[in-house]
Amino acid sequence: MTFAGERVARTRRILVGGTVLVAVAAGLAACSSEPPGPDSATKALAAALTSGNFAKAPFAGGTADASAATAARTAAYEGLAPWAPQVAVVSTTIDEQDKDLATVTLGYTWDVDESDADWTYETHAKLARDDEDVWHATWSPSLLAPDLVAGEVLTVERARADRANVLGAGGAVIVEPRLVHRLGIDKTRIAAPEQDAAARELAGALEIDAEAYAGKVASAGEKAFIEAITVRDGDPNYDVAALAAMPGVNDVTDTIPLAPTRQFARPILGTVGPATAEIIEKSDGAVSDGDLTGLSGLQRQYDAQLRGLPGLTITAAQADGTAPRQLYTVEPTPGTPLTTTLDVGLQNAAESVVATIAPASAVVAIRPSTGDVLAAASGAGGEGMSTATLGQFAPGSTFKVASALALLRSGMTADSDTTCPATVTVDGRSFTNFPEYPTDKLGTIPLRTAFANSCNTAFISARDAASQDALIDAAGSLGLDPHAALGFPAFLGDVPGDSDGTDHAASMIGQGRVLASPLGMATVAASVARGATVVPRLVVPADGAATQEPTPDDTASSGEPTDAPRPIVPLTADEAATLHQLMRGVVTEGGATFLLDVPGDEVAAKTGTAQFGEAGNLQNHVWMIAIQGDLAVAVFVDVGEYGSTTAGPLLEQFLRAAQG
């Protein structure tokens, strides 16, 4: 291999030693094109520095330089994983004195956080063209980072940003740092032979798995603190002082983001804790070991917004940490608060309503004028799932609001006659009314009476006037849109499009394959109250922030819609006014007269009971929905007697609490 300086010397010898050869060389030069520039080599060098694959890097030292570059790059960047740089050619300058020499400026871009700002810098490489017109670069560690020398590596130190609060209606603080007690065995406080017994005693007091906890204590280091439980300060269920006084137990105080109570919208808001290995791996370097992150619910979905951006300091130093040089620093950026529409008072009232209900249960309240979700409480029977927003249950007779709308659109009025027999048979299947249905409301009765008393057979008898498509359109007009994207994990409702015969008959009374959530049925009531289709809102997007999609884990239980999206047929004010009258009739003359004396604006409501389970062991989902002023409410209990007798008292309790 001969470089430019050597080629110049050889040319001079030829000029001195042979005029004929000079003439030939001169003639060839006159006919040939300009020798190639260094662009191909500089692009190959930038690509190699980006990928870390130096097999085709244009180094003068060939494979030896490639091996050295590979080893140096791996060692230098290991402390920045999983980040990797993008390297591009910024400029190339040919030496004015020697056209066979050049300098290339390489621009580095590191995407080190989720902001638009990146860590950028430039390095420089020397190139020379050999006698075969091939350009080669000189390898140096300084190609990797500014002034980097052999043996230096890059490391990053993070400074955690302040996690932002979760706010409710009116800017009320819902989730904020609150004092907690981390209780566990501190192995420096108790002799080794006594640690197993101490661990088991603590586990017994906390009613956790003693064998598993004792195993953790045994496997931990000799000076380890092994946390058994985190208890919020003031939790009446735990005597922290007594627990801390047990042998070997340490009480480590800390603060973590918490809602006002353990139950407060927990399935929706989610929890915060140390980042899991899965979260760290999926974060592309945004989250590291020891960071606090959202683990579920809105805390996880909006984690990037809430946690802010960590402060970063990137340093170059020898592998043993000596001679450090700071290359880049950025201060932490606090998180941006997540604003929800939850009303603290109403959410607490809803939590109180479901607090003692054993089966899965929910209370949802919406402000019809805005669509804001004011409360969404899920009882403990849901085992941590947000029954309020993700539950999928047959809505029973509360769905008759949609069926009534479909009948109104077919030309019926509230005073149109319907037929309410004791039994109606469709394709061999018999449908009846609930056992306590008033016998004096059988026979030919107006639609308003059939609605007020929830006559199943009347709605089923009128099924030919309301096709399945008409039911789907009516449900959509009332807000039961299976394709709605709400900015939080939610299921509203779904009416299958392929129902006929007995399945269509069942759809008329909210059974069969019709599904809805408590949120969905509260939306139905809200749409009636507003006089237009309501889209529920729980999260208020931050200024300039994109709506975050729910995580797969949070949406897994929401299911897939049975049909493709279809246009929403607008609900008219006149339609809503008639539906409101029908719902008021449930209170004045139907199954919800117990709501007549609720203080405040008059109440309009609808009861609902939906059978489920195996024949011979049928049970009832029970519902009630109601409207009072600018408030729409849905109450649900997974297993109960009837809507009026099980869900009704819970609804009344909530409405009275809402009045203050």
Side-chain angles (χ1 to χ4, degrees):
M1 183 179 296
T2 309
F3 287 95
E6 297 175 359
R7 187 171 61 180
V8 170
R10 186 185 65 176
T11 303
R12 287 173 179 165
R13 286 196 295 271
I14 294 173
L15 289 172
V16 172
T19 56
V20 175
L21 292 177
V22 170
V24 172
L28 291 173
C31 297
S32 64
S33 61
E34 286 290 324
D39 287 354
S40 178
T42 57
K43 290 178 180 178
L45 179 60
L49 290 167
T50 297
S51 68
N53 182 357
F54 292 94
K56 296 182 179 179
F59 286 133
T63 57
D65 278 358
S67 297
T70 300
R73 184 186 185 279
T74 299
Y77 293 166
E78 184 177 10
L80 302 185
W83 301 332
Q86 293 294 315
V87 186
V89 175
V90 175
S91 63
T92 304
T93 303
I94 304 295
D95 192 315
E96 293 183 357
Q97 303 300 319
D98 189 337
K99 302 302 183 184
D100 293 327
L101 301 176
T103 301
V104 59
T105 299
L106 300 164
Y108 279 71
T109 301
W110 293 78
D111 185 3
V112 294
D113 59 32
E114 294 168 315
S115 72
D116 293 334
D118 297 316
W119 176 33
T120 61
Y121 57 83
E122 293 180 348
T123 65
H124 308 278
K126 299 293 186 181
L127 294 97
R129 182 168 53 196
D130 64 17
D131 58 347
E132 296 177 355
D133 288 334
V134 176
W135 287 88
H136 295 281
T138 300
W139 159 247
S140 169
S142 63
L143 291 178
L144 300 173
D147 302 319
L148 198 73
V149 299
E152 280 190 317
V153 297
L154 306 183
T155 56
V156 59
E157 290 185 5
R158 290 173 168 84
R160 184 187 299 174
D162 290 335
R163 190 174 184 87
N165 295 334
V166 178
L167 309 178
V173 176
I174 293 177
V175 178
E176 63 180 336
R178 301 178 192 270
L179 182 65
V180 296
H181 301 267
R182 300 186 183 277
L183 297 167
I185 296 296
D186 185 337
K187 297 178 78 169
T188 66
R189 293 190 168 202
I190 188 167
E194 302 170 6
Q195 290 171 1
D196 181 76
R200 293 177 186 276
E201 184 180 359
L202 177 61
L206 295 173
E207 298 182 354
I208 63 175
D209 188 327
E211 191 69 30
Y213 182 63
K216 289 182 180 178
V217 171
S219 61
E222 62 180 16
K223 296 183 178 181
F225 168 73
I226 305 90
E227 182 178 324
I229 195 171
T230 299
V231 178
R232 70 170 60 219
D233 190 51
D235 189 330
N237 296 310
Y238 298 93
D239 187 338
V240 172
L243 290 167
M246 294 175 67
V249 174
N250 194 0
D251 171 13
V252 179
T253 58
D254 195 1
T255 59
I256 59 175
L258 293 173
T261 67
R262 180 177 177 83
Q263 295 78 24
F264 192 100
R266 184 182 178 92
I268 293 174
L269 297 176
T271 58
V272 177
T276 65
E278 179 185 11
I279 290 174
I280 293 171
E281 181 180 357
K282 291 182 177 179
S283 74
D284 293 328
V287 177
S288 61
D289 190 28
D291 284 353
L292 281 180
T293 64
L295 301 179
S296 61
L298 296 180
Q299 288 282 6
R300 181 174 178 183
Q301 183 180 346
Y302 290 88
D303 184 61
Q305 172 181 327
L306 287 162
R307 73 170 182 265
L309 300 173
L312 301 173
T313 300
I314 298 176
T315 302
Q318 289 297 316
D320 60 3
T322 59
R325 297 184 295 112
Q326 189 178 108
L327 301 182
Y328 177 75
T329 186
V330 60
E331 294 299 314
T333 302
T336 299
L338 177 66
T339 300
T340 73
T341 60
L342 294 176
D343 180 285
V344 173
L346 290 180
Q347 181 67 31
N348 280 328
E351 299 288 0
S352 296
V353 168
V354 299
T356 60
I357 307 301
S361 58
V363 175
V364 176
I366 293 175
R367 179 178 289 120
S369 60
T370 61
D372 288 352
V373 178
L374 304 177
S378 300
E383 298 181 345
M385 188 189 86
S386 180
T387 305
T389 58
L390 289 172
Q392 298 185 42
F393 309 95
S397 292
T398 57
F399 187 75
K400 286 175 182 168
V401 180
S403 302
L405 176 57
L407 293 175
L408 293 174
R409 288 175 173 176
S410 76
M412 294 180 67
T413 69
D415 295 316
S416 295
D417 284 339
T418 63
T419 302
C420 179
T423 302
V424 63
T425 301
V426 179
D427 294 342
R429 177 183 171 184
S430 293
F431 294 87
T432 62
N433 297 311
F434 68 94
E436 281 76 25
Y437 186 84
T439 56
D440 63 340
K441 298 300 189 292
L442 293 172
T444 300
I445 57 175
L447 177 62
R448 67 172 68 251
T449 302
F451 188 94
N453 292 276
S454 205
C455 179
N456 290 340
T457 59
F459 277 82
I460 292 172
S461 296
R463 66 190 181 279
D464 290 342
S467 68
Q468 194 72 10
D469 278 346
L471 287 180
I472 294 172
D473 287 341
S477 299
L478 292 165
L480 292 183
D481 179 4
H483 303 278
L486 303 179
F488 64 97
F491 170 84
L492 294 177
D494 192 21
V495 182
D498 58 350
S499 294
D500 55 17
T502 59
D503 202 32
H504 174 55
S507 294
M508 291 292 294
I509 58 173
Q511 299 199 49
R513 291 184 291 144
V514 177
L515 295 173
S517 68
L519 174 67
M521 294 315 299
T523 302
V524 168
S527 296
V528 173
R530 184 175 177 177
T533 306
V534 166
V535 177
R537 182 179 75 153
L538 177 64
V539 174
V540 181
D543 291 341
T547 299
Q548 301 296 311
E549 292 300 319
T551 65
D553 288 347
D554 290 325
T555 58
S557 59
S558 64
E560 291 295 328
T562 56
D563 295 289
R566 55 197 292 162
I568 298 297
V569 179
L571 178 69
T572 70
D574 287 344
E575 291 171 338
T578 301
L579 294 174
H580 197 292
Q581 292 173 12
L582 293 176
M583 291 178 66
R584 178 60 180 166
V586 176
V587 177
T588 57
E589 61 174 287
T593 54
F594 58 88
L595 296 175
L596 277 170
D597 62 350
V598 171
D601 295 331
E602 68 177 31
V603 179
K606 184 69 190 80
T607 58
T609 303
Q611 291 185 321
F612 70 98
E614 300 295 330
N617 188 33
L618 292 175
Q619 295 178 298
N620 293 334
H621 297 314
V622 294
W623 298 79
M624 275 204 74
I625 60 175
I627 302 164
Q628 186 179 33
D630 199 16
L631 186 69
V633 185
V635 175
F636 167 78
V637 179
D638 187 24
V639 179
E641 186 182 31
Y642 303 116
S644 59
T645 58
T646 300
L650 304 179
L651 173 64
E652 182 178 3
Q653 178 185 342
F654 180 78
L655 291 178
R656 290 184 180 276
Q659 293 299 320

